[in-house]
Amino acid sequence: MPYVNIRITREGATAAQKAQLIRGATQLLADVLGKDPRSTVVVIDEIDPDNWGFAGETTTERRKAGR
Amino acid sequence: MPYVNIRITREGATAAQKAQLIRGATQLLADVLGKDPRSTVVVIDEIDPDNWGFAGETTTERRKAGR
Amino acid sequence: MPYVNIRITREGATAAQKAQLIRGATQLLADVLGKDPRSTVVVIDEIDPDNWGFAGETTTERRKAGR
Amino acid sequence: MPYVNIRITREGATAAQKAQLIRGATQLLADVLGKDPRSTVVVIDEIDPDNWGFAGETTTERRKAGR
Amino acid sequence: MPYVNIRITREGATAAQKAQLIRGATQLLADVLGKDPRSTVVVIDEIDPDNWGFAGETTTERRKAGR
Amino acid sequence: MPYVNIRITREGATAAQKAQLIRGATQLLADVLGKDPRSTVVVIDEIDPDNWGFAGETTTERRKAGR
């Protein structure tokens, strides 16, 4: 019954990539802790670059500065 | 001052239903723990079906397979 | 497959009350949105009163001031 | 490496204000706990007023009632 | 700069297993989305079995019933 | 009615420092967005160093390696 929340900036992750993240996270919990994949929940939040800050800057600012 | 976060897939919950969830969750905390409804926060997150995984599959995949 | 996170201060909620919150939240989602109780996850976080702030004060401060 | 999640209703916060929140939260953790700004993550979630409940009402309902 | 939050019941995960979850989640985001491991945050929350509900029951209740 | 969640490693933050974080975060939202301090919730989660990963390592591992 694990719950995994993956938070990333909204920068073009495809449906296939998100499906891959979901499979990968579910498998990781099965492999490491023996958790039952059938009751594992994985939720991906895609956040607007204006709304994600790292090192005191928004991602929009960082991208403009080539970071 | 409780905080309740309800995460569901974005599959057509109406404004009236969301208001009902908010009332219900607020009442539940008042009934069970005597929490003051006037300072209870309830936030509903609606998640894209591509972004919600269960049993290793996205909800989009599960809906296509009739699950 | 909903996920509900209930955050409250750690002020003596009993195991029975927490079970009641879990049943109540699960039932609420079934009643309002027709969600399947068998795949509903409810997680209760109990937070130290020093760590929960409301109106700019910690809960410990508020309790000392009779709020 | 702190992670700060700021959840507000979606009611017109500008990019500049969100950048200000990110700088302010990052600085707060540096000032109070000496945390390294270069590894501080701040994420702002803007929630639809229909989805944010306070005192048992949605924000949409509260705004209509002048609260 | 991804943030991954893994929530599991507190049922004996070892420090080594948690380190393995952290490495695995970090690698998953690098592999699938090309995210920089050096700025990936992974936080594991271990939740008391009385506080984790699935299918309307606490984990404590489920374990007693052999589920 | 904002909700701010500050997540830090459990490494000795005092009650006074946590009160300071709560006041600071509440004031930040008042200053930047004009939010009403009286309904602002700030919750601090302190996470075990074994449970907080950065750059693929647990904080326990990083501290041992002097990072």
Side-chain angles (χ1 to χ4, degrees), chain A residues 3-64:
Chain A
Y3 170 78
V4 180
N5 180 209
I6 299 173
R7 310 205 93 200
I8 54 176
T9 44
R10 183 186 305 281
E11 295 185 286
T14 65
Q17 287 174 316
K18 292 184 279 192
Q20 204 178 339
L21 287 177
I22 287 167
R23 281 196 303 276
T26 303
Q27 192 59 51
L28 177 65
L29 286 156
D31 294 345
V32 176
L33 294 178
K35 296 292 184 182
D36 183 348
R38 293 169 303 177
S39 58
T40 297
V41 176
V42 180
V43 174
I44 301 166
D45 293 322
E46 295 177 88
I47 310 294
D48 188 295
D50 278 352
N51 289 38
W52 189 295
F54 185 68
E57 297 175 300
T58 69
T59 298
T60 306
E61 290 167 331
R62 294 175 60 81
R63 294 294 178 256
K64 273 182 201 158

Side-chain angles (χ1 to χ4, degrees), chain F residues 1-63:
Chain F
M1 305 167 295
Y3 171 79
V4 180
N5 180 209
I6 298 173
R7 310 206 93 200
I8 54 175
T9 43
R10 182 187 303 284
E11 296 184 285
T14 65
Q17 287 174 316
K18 291 185 279 193
Q20 204 178 341
L21 286 177
I22 286 167
R23 280 195 303 275
T26 303
Q27 192 59 51
L28 177 65
L29 287 156
D31 294 346
V32 176
L33 294 178
K35 295 291 184 183
D36 184 346
R38 291 168 305 175
S39 58
T40 297
V41 175
V42 180
V43 174
I44 300 166
D45 294 320
E46 295 175 271
I47 310 295
D48 187 296
D50 278 352
N51 289 37
W52 188 293
F54 186 68
E57 297 174 299
T58 69
T59 299
T60 306
E61 291 167 331
R62 293 173 61 80
R63 295 293 179 254

Side-chain angles (χ1 to χ4, degrees), chain E residues 21-66:
Chain E
L21 286 177
I22 286 166
R23 279 195 304 276
T26 304
Q27 192 59 51
L28 177 65
L29 287 157
D31 294 345
V32 176
L33 294 178
K35 295 292 185 183
D36 184 347
R38 291 168 304 176
S39 60
T40 297
V41 176
V42 180
V43 174
I44 300 167
D45 293 321
E46 294 177 272
I47 310 294
D48 188 296
D50 278 354
N51 290 36
W52 188 293
F54 187 67
E57 296 175 300
T58 69
T59 299
T60 306
E61 291 167 330
R62 293 173 62 79
R63 296 293 178 253
K64 273 184 201 157

Side-chain angles (χ1 to χ4, degrees), chain D residues 33-63:
Chain D
L33 294 178
K35 295 290 185 184
D36 184 346
R38 291 167 304 176
S39 59
T40 298
V41 176
V42 180
V43 175
I44 301 166
D45 293 320
E46 295 177 88
I47 310 294
D48 188 296
D50 278 353
N51 289 37
W52 189 294
F54 187 67
E57 295 175 302
T58 70
T59 299
T60 305
E61 290 167 331
R62 292 173 62 80
R63 296 292 180 256

Side-chain angles (χ1 to χ4, degrees), chain B:
Chain B
M1 302 168 295
Y3 172 77
V4 180
N5 181 209
I6 299 173
R7 312 206 91 199
I8 54 175
T9 44
R10 183 185 304 281
E11 295 185 287
T14 65
Q17 287 173 317
K18 291 185 279 192
Q20 206 178 338
L21 285 177
I22 286 167
R23 279 195 304 274
T26 303
Q27 192 60 51
L28 177 65
L29 286 158
D31 294 346
V32 176
L33 294 178
K35 296 292 185 182
D36 183 346
R38 292 168 303 176
S39 60
T40 297
V41 176
V42 180
V43 174
I44 300 167
D45 293 321
E46 294 178 272
I47 310 295
D48 188 294
D50 278 353
N51 290 36
W52 190 293
F54 187 69
E57 296 176 300
T58 69
T59 298
T60 306
E61 290 167 330
R62 293 172 61 81
R63 295 292 180 256
K64 274 183 199 155
R67 282 187 286 279

